[in-house]
Amino acid sequence: MTWGQLVRSALEAIQWNRLRSLLTVLGIVIGIAAVMVTVGLGEGAQAKVSSKIAALGSNLLTVAPGSTSAGPGVRRGLGSASTLTMADAAALSSRVVAPAVAAVAPLTSQHETLTNGAIDWPTTVDGTTPSWLGIRSRSVEIGRFINAQDEASSADVVVLGALTAQELFSTSNPIGRVVDVGPLPMTVIGVLTPVGSGTSVTSNQDDLAIVPISTAQGSLMGISANDSVQSILLRATSSSTLSAAYQEADHELMMLHGVTNPANADFTITAEQSLFSAATSISATLTALLAGIATVSLLVGGIGVMNIMLVSVTERTREIGLRKALGAKPSDIRRQFLVEASVLGVCGGLIGAALGLLGQLLLPSLISNPVIIPPIVTVAAIAVALMISLLFGVYPAARAAQLSPIDALRSE
Amino acid sequence: MEVVLAESDPTSAQDLLVLKDIGKRYQLGHLFVEALRGVSFTVVANDYVAITGPSGSGKSTLMHLIGCLDVPTSGDLTIAGELVRDLDQAELAEIRNRRIGFVFQQFNLLRTMTAQRNVELPLLYAGVPRKERRDRAAALLERVGLGRHMNHHPMELSGGQQQRVAIARALVNEPSIILADEPTGNLDSQSAEEVLGIFEELNQLGRTLVVITHDATVAARASRALHIRDGQLQEVS
Ligand SMILES: Nc1ncnc2c1ncn2[C@@H]1O[C@H](COP(=O)(O)OP(=O)(O)OP(=O)(O)O)[C@@H](O)[C@H]1O
Ligand SMILES: [Mg+2]
């Protein structure tokens, strides 16, 4: 018998036993769909976390005042808590001092109420430099961001987060309008592109106001010539230079602050990357767990195929006997059952894959989580379905082939 | 009696079937059933042999041995010059496929297939190409008077029609011997007559037939009859 004939007669047998075939396939279908959706959920969660982290700014380091190794008896920072200055930020910007640092943005942050006529809106007001935009991987939707000139002249200008702008100005265009930031009237020069709510990873990134850091330090805080900053954001040239950037910044700041013993450092550098890798590893663990469960369900599906193929062999003993009486060799019978099992497997795989892809389309709207199924997973799922049915089809097929023709024919 | 092995070219062998002291013993737990005890006979080409005997005498057992569906516990069986004892599973399958055409009392058609595809089955295992299979099956169904029922499934055919499909299937691979175990056992007299008519015609065309029956009128149509009782042969005429 040729393979074409085998497949043809397998299709006939499957069609003839529609219900039984359907039940056989069901286990595989559920297994495959489960594996695909599971992997898709895991990948989706990972992608979601990645994009959230990326929205925070990639390759980011944050320098904050104060020591991490603040055990009892260890002296905390020198002087006030605010030990970082504009001079520190300027030093770190130097290509020579810190070649692995691509961009630096000093940051001061305070809570102020913004007022537009009768509308009050309390928010976070960040004083920073133009490089903040790039470091935070943000963009301006309308208008412009603060520039070096605003910075130099301590201009009374403000850039609003999308939500802040909406709260204060509703749908009307805020550009050029004046808003009171605390006691100070400032001109709105731009609105940031919204990034969506960041509730799970960070506070709402669309609710904030940005002013030049010189403005913040000067008129806003009411203390002139105060050049202290609350934190300094650093971006490494790439994720691979993150630790180099860390060391360069660490070394330079220790020198500037006259600290010789690292344990006495009056500042702390943290990498957002660590948050990223923690989040990634959590979702990877989750994916592995779910994939494990799905694999078990695939195995159950495979045993289902074996079970039904065995029933099929018993049920069709007479047919096997007759085929042998007419000249079928053991290998012919073995192939017949193997081909039947694998046709069932491929059908189950295809239907399961279709269901999985359907899940990819429908699930996100139900669970508000992305489901990303890489094409390779679809292909692999179908291959696995085929392999499982082949594997679990071998035993029933071998049993069928070994039946003696007369015993088989005589059975009722 | 000397063991006569036919010449190497089986088609020219006169003794198509040689049974020498064939015995078959079944084991049922600790109990042994001697279904056949030292059966010897020879069937030559173009013979038409009826095998009769009471129920349980061993007729079917004998037929299964001749048809290579089972192997004897003792004695030598030679089919078309080949000693069956020496053959492995695949070779036995080949003998069943090319040398033997089996007609069963219960027809044994595959209900999932049309009459034509049922008839094609032996050709499938003989590796005959599809077109030729179709043509040969169609020609034989035509010949047994079922030209208009080729695409019917067994369930859509009468008993007599099903048995004629089974005969067409037995003939399709041009076997050396046609074996029929109670071919008319499940048929009314009209259908039985049709089947016997076909057998007679086949014999006139040079075919060799061995037919099991307990019906004396069926046995009378054959060239000769062998009578079995308690697993032993009693030649009648
Ligand atoms: N598979 C088997 N296992 C055990 N004993 C068997 C087996 N097949 C047949 N026998 C026994 O062998 C003897 C001959 O049986 P066989 O079927 O050949 O009889 P038969 O002549 O064909 O009878 P009938 O006319 O009823 O079909 C019987 O005693 C039967 O019980
Ligand atoms: Mg019988």
Side-chain angles (χ1 to χ4, degrees):
Chain A
M1 259 179 126
T2 66
W3 291 104
Q5 290 160 1
L6 280 168
V7 170
R8 202 194 134 145
S9 63
L11 287 175
E12 276 173 1
I14 287 164
Q15 214 187 348
W16 190 261
N17 297 293
R18 269 187 216 102
L19 181 64
R20 192 179 60 202
S21 307
L22 199 79
L23 291 174
T24 313
V25 160
L26 205 61
I28 294 282
V29 167
I30 292 172
I32 292 292
V35 168
M36 284 178 64
V37 169
T38 306
V39 172
L41 277 172
E43 290 282 326
Q46 213 149 325
K48 190 178 179 181
V49 170
S50 304
S51 74
K52 280 273 146 67
I53 304 278
L56 286 176
S58 49
N59 317 327
L60 214 58
L61 291 172
T62 307
V63 186
S67 164
T68 40
S69 56
V74 174
R75 214 152 43 104
R76 297 203 74 167
L78 301 163
S80 78
S82 218
T83 55
L84 297 171
T85 63
M86 286 300 282
D88 293 336
L92 293 175
S93 318
S94 158
R95 269 292 111 93
V96 184
V97 169
V101 174
V104 178
L107 196 71
T108 66
S109 199
Q110 63 200 96
H111 278 280
E112 289 291 352
T113 298
L114 274 58
T115 314
N116 172 34
I119 308 167
D120 285 343
W121 184 253
T123 190
T124 311
V125 177
D126 284 346
T128 189
T129 59
S131 53
W132 181 91
L133 201 63
I135 289 178
R136 279 293 188 197
S137 305
R138 297 292 295 264
S139 60
V140 172
E141 189 157 70
I142 46 173
R144 63 171 181 85
F145 198 63
I146 52 173
N147 59 24
Q149 226 175 319
D150 302 328
E151 187 62 43
S153 60
S154 303
D156 291 336
V157 292
V158 63
V159 176
L160 300 176
L163 181 68
T164 319
Q166 206 206 332
E167 291 294 342
L168 288 169
F169 296 100
S170 179
T171 50
S172 62
N173 185 358
I175 306 297
R177 304 271 295 270
V178 174
V179 65
D180 289 335
V181 178
L184 238 106
M186 292 196 188
T187 310
V188 178
I189 55 167
V191 177
L192 295 170
T193 311
V195 291
S197 75
T199 44
S200 64
V201 176
T202 178
S203 56
N204 195 327
Q205 296 178 67
D206 290 325
D207 183 14
L208 79 172
I210 307 280
V211 299
I213 194 163
S214 51
T215 312
Q217 288 166 334
S219 21
L220 204 54
M221 289 180 164
I223 313 155
S224 61
N226 181 351
D227 76 342
S228 80
V229 300
Q230 285 172 358
S231 61
I232 302 174
L233 300 176
L234 303 176
R235 199 182 77 224
T237 48
S238 79
S239 56
S240 57
T241 56
L242 195 70
S243 69
Y246 180 97
Q247 274 159 23
E248 288 164 10
D250 195 42
H251 184 251
E252 179 63 16
L253 289 175
M254 293 230 290
M255 239 173 61
L256 285 173
H257 294 195
V259 180
T260 46
N261 183 356
N264 295 335
D266 55 353
F267 59 90
T268 309
I269 307 178
T270 52
E272 306 270 5
Q273 193 68 32
S274 59
L275 176 65
F276 177 73
S277 50
T280 308
S281 82
I282 288 168
S283 71
T285 310
L286 194 71
T287 306
L289 182 76
L290 291 174
I293 294 169
T295 306
V296 169
S297 77
L298 254 186
L299 198 71
V300 171
I303 292 171
V305 170
M306 176 161 76
N307 184 29
I308 297 206
M309 289 307 289
L310 276 173
V311 170
S312 170
V313 166
T314 315
E315 233 175 54
R316 287 158 68 190
T317 303
R318 268 182 80 84
E319 176 192 331
I320 295 164
L322 177 71
R323 285 177 181 273
K324 288 193 122 179
L326 298 179
K329 298 183 179 69
S331 59
D332 289 323
I333 302 293
R334 202 160 39 234
R335 275 193 210 130
Q336 182 190 337
F337 278 85
L338 269 188
V339 168
E340 261 178 53
S342 43
V343 167
L344 286 177
V346 169
C347 288
L350 287 176
I351 298 172
L355 266 182
L357 293 176
L358 195 71
Q360 182 180 25
L361 279 180
L362 299 183
L363 269 183
S365 58
L366 295 177
I367 58 172
S368 72
N369 249 330
V371 178
I372 300 167
I373 302 174
I376 181 78
V377 169
T378 310
V379 175
I382 295 169
V384 164
L386 177 60
M387 263 170 46
I388 281 190
S389 10
L390 270 178
L391 198 71
F392 289 100
V394 163
Y395 175 62
R399 250 181 65 148
Q402 280 317 310
L403 285 171
S404 112
I406 190 58
D407 288 342
L409 259 181
R410 234 193 247 115
S411 81
E412 284 303 329
Chain B
M1 214 212 295
E2 284 293 312
V3 178
V4 183
L5 282 176
E7 303 89 70
S8 54
D9 181 6
T11 48
S12 66
Q14 271 300 295
D15 298 340
L16 268 184
L17 202 59
V18 180
L19 285 83
K20 191 165 183 308
D21 215 15
I22 294 290
K24 179 69 186 179
R25 188 164 61 176
Y26 292 110
Q27 189 176 0
L28 291 169
H30 293 291
L31 198 75
F32 289 100
V33 181
E34 297 274 357
L36 291 177
R37 300 186 251 201
V39 173
S40 303
F41 66 91
T42 301
V43 176
V44 295
N46 202 19
D47 219 343
Y48 184 176
V49 184
I51 296 176
T52 59
S55 185
S57 56
K59 305 184 296 292
S60 294
T61 303
L62 180 61
M63 194 61 115
H64 295 148
L65 296 181
I66 299 173
C68 293
L69 297 177
D70 208 349
V71 285
T73 24
S74 62
D76 289 337
L77 170 63
T78 311
I79 298 173
E82 295 202 69
L83 192 59
V84 168
R85 202 174 44 201
D86 295 343
L87 305 177
D88 66 18
Q89 285 252 26
E91 287 166 329
L92 282 174
E94 188 129 341
I95 292 271
R96 292 194 286 264
N97 186 243
R98 292 177 196 275
R99 295 290 175 202
I100 315 272
F102 234 115
V103 180
F104 302 92
Q105 182 175 350
Q106 300 88 353
F107 324 134
N108 279 342
L109 300 176
L110 290 187
R111 63 205 172 97
T112 59
M113 295 180 171
T114 62
Q116 188 176 22
R117 301 244 307 137
N118 263 289
V119 175
E120 281 179 41
L121 272 174
L123 298 178
L124 198 64
Y125 293 115
V128 174
R130 181 162 164 185
K131 174 87 176 65
E132 192 187 333
R133 286 201 317 259
R134 296 243 139 147
D135 294 348
R136 278 165 71 174
L140 273 170
L141 282 168
E142 203 79 57
R143 205 171 126 192
V144 297
L146 290 173
R148 301 197 6 245
H149 297 85
M150 287 196 286
N151 292 318
H152 286 56
H153 281 82
M155 283 185 295
E156 300 157 356
L157 298 171
S158 75
Q161 288 171 328
Q162 289 189 50
Q163 193 60 301
R164 280 186 276 155
V165 173
I167 293 171
R169 184 181 62 191
L171 292 172
V172 77
N173 212 12
E174 319 239 293
S176 312
I177 311 160
I178 292 153
L179 303 178
D181 189 349
E182 306 262 15
T184 58
N186 282 358
L187 300 181
D188 60 79
S189 55
Q190 162 86 40
S191 303
E193 186 50 48
E194 280 170 8
V195 166
L196 292 174
I198 294 171
F199 282 176
E200 240 149 59
E201 194 190 327
L202 287 169
N203 186 234
Q204 272 151 26
L205 289 168
R207 298 302 182 119
T208 312
L209 293 106
V210 178
V211 179
I212 288 181
T213 183
H214 54 241
D215 186 340
T217 61
V218 173
R221 306 279 287 264
S223 318
R224 61 181 175 126
L226 299 175
H227 193 73
I228 292 190
R229 181 177 287 273
D230 284 339
Q232 282 178 316
L233 214 56
Q234 301 176 312
E235 194 120 10
V236 187
S237 68

